[in-house]
């Protein structure tokens, strides 16, 4: 066999191998198929105009897109996997009454628990589920965020930062999503964030409660603590008492939120949840808001039973609303201490008192700005105070008096001791016994 003939045969073999590989790749990319049972269902449900009249006068679409369902995660379960309650003999012949889309969505949602137990447990602990239990008609159910007939793998989800990534959240939180779209986190290119990166997916908590969001910030900005410490005095206290957005959303309106906490086992403190006294007490507040005396009375009322955990207040500086907290700008963080630490600083003119409601969201009541400097609330705002910084004059004068007393009292004692030294010496000489005489 000549060399040229050998080369030709080798080339043909390579072409055949490449062709076989391409055919195999093409077979692996074939469109997913549906079972005969599912095809039988879709013989009716693949008609776009198929709808069901509901009790509230609206209608529910019964259309299922065949290709989308075939490519979905639920294809392997088939129609019967979620609709096992349907009797094929009577289906389509016996009319089933459905009150509304919402009622149907809540009913079908219970089927999700059969396969998604862990996810449903997370959802049950979320603020969304709490709102549903309270009777909300807007809080999301499974089908509000997931099309059960077109649910794709998380690997096929839209890339972070795209317009479609947060479309479900925008259904209810449009102003927040629009504000976030112009923020540094949404404009970070390949490192852009999405809603779930900070708020999680199913176990969503109220953003203003606890330290979850600050923890999320530090999880990405691991250098933040050291970076702040290099220029910010008492940085640990600042990071504890100030929300990140209060400095990183420079145009925001700031306020002080005095939060009700209670002591927990192990010496930890947790935000107090669902106390009716707070709602009843604050409902009587006037337009000026609660003052220092009212706060003192509230704490006395909440701590009336010595067997219960002690309730106290912690303050935090934060932005006024969620839109502002999503408008974080790059390279524009406040570093001017005088923004807050000057007489009459705007950040300390807005004050609220809050606690966590039964649904996991904060319940707030406006308070007067003077509450930060009133005698009755000194014990409450002590952890939120630094000498000369918040310009709470009462606290400044009390501290000056305490320092002065600490210096003056020992000095006065020493002066008195010196002045009376000779008198005490003469008195001691008179009292000494006579050693020169006899009996």
């Amino acid at each position: 066999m000549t060399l040229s003939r050998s080369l030709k045969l080798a080339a043909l073999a390579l072409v055949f191998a490449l062709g076989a590989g391409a055919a195999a790749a093409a077979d692996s990319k074939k469109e997913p198929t549906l079972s005969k049972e599912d095809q039988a269902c879709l013989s009716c449900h693949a008609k776009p105009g198929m709808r069901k009249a509901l009790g509230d006068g609206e209608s529910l679409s019964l259309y299922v897109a065949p290709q989308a369902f075939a490519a979905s995660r639920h294809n392997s379960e088939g129609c019967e996997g979620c609709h096992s309650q349907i009797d094929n003999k009577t289906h389509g012949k016996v009319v089933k009454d459905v009150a509304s889309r919402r009622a149907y969505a809540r009913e079908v949602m219970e089927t999700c628990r059969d396969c998604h137990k862990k996810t449903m447990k997370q959802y049950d602990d979320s603020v969304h589920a709490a709102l549903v239990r309270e009777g909300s008609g807007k809080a999301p159910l499974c089908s509000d965020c997931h099309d059960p007939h077109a649910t794709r793998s998380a690997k096929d989800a839209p890339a972070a930062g795209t317009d479609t990534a947060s479309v479900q959240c925008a259904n209810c939180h449009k102003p927040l999503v629009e504000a976030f779209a112009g923020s540094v986190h949404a404009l970070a290119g390949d490192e852009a964030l999405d809603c779930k990166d900070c708020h999680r997916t199913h176990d969503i908590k109220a953003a203003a409660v606890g330290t979850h969001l600050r923890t999320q910030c530090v999880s990405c900005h691991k250098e933040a603590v050291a970076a702040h410490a290099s220029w910010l005095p008492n940085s640990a206290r600042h990071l504890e008492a100030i929300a990140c957005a209060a400095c990183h959303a420079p145009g925001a309106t700031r306020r002080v939120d005095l939060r009700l906490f209670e002591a927990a086992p192990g010496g930890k403190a947790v935000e107090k949840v669902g106390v009716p006294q707070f709602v009843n007490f604050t409902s009587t507040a006037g337009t000026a808001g609660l003052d220092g005396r009212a706060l003192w009375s509230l704490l006395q009322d909440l701590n009336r039973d010595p067997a219960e955990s002690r309730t106290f207040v912690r303050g935090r500086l934060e932005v006024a609303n969620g839109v502002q907290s999503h408008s974080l700008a790059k390279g524009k963080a406040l570093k001017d201490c005088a923004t807050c630490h000057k007489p009459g600083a705007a950040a300390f003119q807005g004050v609220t008192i809050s606690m966590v409601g039964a649904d996991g969201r904060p319940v707030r009541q406006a308070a007067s700005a003077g509450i930060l400097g009133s005698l009755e609330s000194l014990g409450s705002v002590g952890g939120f105070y630094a000498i000369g910084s918040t310009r709470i004059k009462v606290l400044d004068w009390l501290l000056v008096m305490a320092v002065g007393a600490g210096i003056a009292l020992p000095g006065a004692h020493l002066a008195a001791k010196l002045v009376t030294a000779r008198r005490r010496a003469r008195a001691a000489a008179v009292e000494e016994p006579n050693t020169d005489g006899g009996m």
Side-chain angles (χ1 to χ4, degrees):
M1 184 181 291
T2 64
L3 178 61
S4 61
R5 182 175 176 79
S6 298
L7 292 174
K8 289 180 180 179
L9 290 175
L12 288 174
L14 178 61
V15 170
F16 177 79
L18 293 175
D27 288 340
S28 65
K29 293 182 179 180
K30 283 184 178 179
E31 292 293 328
T33 59
L34 294 168
S35 67
K36 293 181 179 180
E37 292 79 6
D38 291 345
Q39 291 178 22
C41 296
L42 291 174
S43 64
C44 291
H45 287 279
K47 299 175 182 178
M50 191 176 187
R51 305 188 72 85
K52 177 179 177 59
L54 303 177
D56 61 357
E58 296 187 359
S59 63
L60 176 68
S61 174
L62 301 181
Y63 168 70
V64 177
Q67 292 181 340
F69 179 64
S72 75
R73 294 292 303 273
H74 290 154
N75 178 14
S76 59
E77 298 296 326
C79 300
E80 190 176 354
C82 296
H83 299 283
S84 59
Q85 78 281 6
I86 293 178
D87 186 348
N88 292 332
K89 296 180 180 180
T90 61
H91 184 55
K93 300 176 183 179
V94 177
V95 178
K96 178 182 178 181
D97 294 330
V98 178
S100 64
R101 294 179 187 177
R102 182 79 174 179
Y104 180 71
R106 292 197 66 171
E107 177 185 341
V108 174
M109 182 171 151
E110 295 306 310
T111 305
C112 302
R113 298 183 184 276
D114 296 338
C115 297
H116 304 286
K117 293 181 175 62
K118 181 178 179 180
T119 299
M120 291 303 298
K121 176 62 171 64
Q122 293 176 338
Y123 173 81
D124 289 340
D125 292 337
S126 73
V127 65
H128 286 157
L131 293 173
V132 171
R133 289 191 292 270
E134 285 187 353
S136 171
K138 296 182 179 180
L141 306 172
C142 296
S143 58
D144 290 316
C145 298
H146 305 283
D147 182 347
H149 300 114
T151 302
R152 302 295 294 272
S153 168
K155 298 178 181 178
D156 300 327
T162 61
D163 292 337
T164 55
S166 302
V167 64
Q168 290 91 350
C169 301
N171 290 333
C172 295
H173 305 288
K174 185 176 181 180
L176 303 184
V177 173
E178 290 178 345
F180 178 77
S183 73
V184 60
H185 288 143
L187 302 176
D190 294 338
E191 297 182 355
L193 301 181
D194 198 2
C195 301
K196 64 179 179 296
D197 292 315
C198 295
H199 297 283
R200 295 192 289 255
T201 304
H202 293 99
D203 54 336
I204 296 175
K205 307 296 183 182
V209 173
T211 60
H212 164 66
L213 288 184
R214 185 177 66 218
T215 301
Q216 291 296 102
C217 294
V218 175
S219 68
C220 290
H221 302 283
K222 294 180 172 60
E223 78 291 347
V225 176
H228 284 83
S230 66
W231 67 271
L232 182 64
N234 202 6
S235 60
R237 175 58 61 85
H238 278 87
L239 293 176
E240 178 184 352
I242 301 176
C244 298
C247 293
H248 292 273
T253 302
R254 299 165 190 81
R255 69 176 176 205
V256 175
D257 187 32
L258 301 177
R259 302 178 169 210
L260 291 175
F261 276 74
E262 63 180 348
K268 295 182 178 180
V270 295
E271 291 191 58
K272 200 168 182 67
V273 178
V275 179
Q277 294 101 306
F278 178 78
V279 177
N280 296 334
F281 191 88
T282 57
S283 63
T284 61
T287 56
L290 297 174
D291 57 14
R293 182 176 293 277
L295 176 59
W296 182 84
S297 298
L298 174 62
L299 291 175
Q300 292 296 311
D301 188 36
L302 294 176
N303 290 315
R304 183 171 298 175
D305 188 352
E308 296 182 357
S309 299
R310 184 178 67 87
T311 301
F312 56 95
V313 171
R314 282 184 177 177
R316 187 168 79 167
L317 187 67
E318 56 187 28
V319 295
N321 54 59
V323 170
Q324 295 177 353
S325 67
H326 287 80
S327 305
L328 303 185
K330 183 177 181 180
K332 297 182 180 180
L334 292 175
K335 288 190 176 182
D336 184 5
C337 299
T339 301
C340 294
H341 301 303
K342 64 180 180 181
F348 294 92
Q349 303 312 304
V351 183
T352 56
I353 300 174
S354 70
M355 65 162 292
V356 181
D359 60 3
R361 296 182 298 169
V363 179
R364 289 193 176 92
Q365 172 61 50
S368 63
I371 195 173
L372 295 175
S374 66
L375 288 172
E376 294 91 343
S377 59
L378 291 184
S380 304
V381 301
F384 190 65
Y385 169 77
I387 178 66
S389 60
T390 56
R391 301 301 179 182
I392 302 176
K393 298 301 183 182
V394 175
L395 290 176
D396 287 346
W397 279 112
L398 287 177
L399 185 56
V400 169
M401 292 170 62
V403 172
I407 296 174
L409 289 178
H413 181 268
L414 179 60
K417 186 176 181 180
L418 292 174
V419 169
T420 60
R422 291 183 179 180
R423 183 181 304 172
R424 285 184 285 107
R426 289 196 298 267
V430 171
E431 293 177 0
E432 287 182 359
N434 185 357
T435 58
D436 296 333
M439 297 200 47

